[in-house]
Amino acid sequence: MTTHSVSQTKAAASVADLAQADFADLMREMTVDVETTGRLLKLSRNTTYKALRNGEIPSVRVGAQYRVPTAKLRAMLGVSMPETAAA
């Protein structure tokens, strides 16, 4: 039987919260930043930037910052938007 320290338990909880927050951003926002994109794709920061520069991840530049359109990121991940009720 393994025992987990309080810090390990808190770290696991914060990772779960972060993943939930990233997914919420994916579903709610028009674009997300590089760090969120990397976490969603399970890529390192450097690999994410390389993929952005190579065009492997669709992005737009706003000044010096890359932003990733969530519609295209959802398509890459195979995640669809939930249907909304007709007005």
Side-chain angles (χ1 to χ4, degrees):
M1 180 175 168
T2 59
T3 58
H4 296 280
S5 70
V6 172
S7 62
Q8 288 173 324
T9 304
K10 284 182 182 178
S14 64
V15 168
D17 291 343
L18 183 59
Q20 190 173 16
D22 288 341
F23 188 76
D25 286 347
L26 178 66
M27 301 308 283
R28 179 183 59 238
E29 303 295 332
M30 296 295 289
T31 64
V32 291
D33 60 21
V34 174
E35 289 76 17
T36 301
T37 300
R39 285 191 302 265
L40 287 164
L41 294 173
K42 299 192 182 330
L43 299 174
S44 72
R45 184 175 190 269
N46 288 339
T47 301
T48 304
Y49 272 105
K50 184 177 178 183
L52 288 167
R53 285 190 300 272
N54 292 337
E56 296 174 62
I57 299 173
S59 64
V60 294
R61 295 273 315 240
V62 179
Q65 185 181 40
Y66 283 102
R67 299 295 295 181
V68 178
T70 55
K72 292 184 179 189
L73 188 54
R74 284 192 302 270
M76 288 177 70
L77 293 168
V79 175
S80 60
M81 292 293 287
E83 300 270 333
T84 57

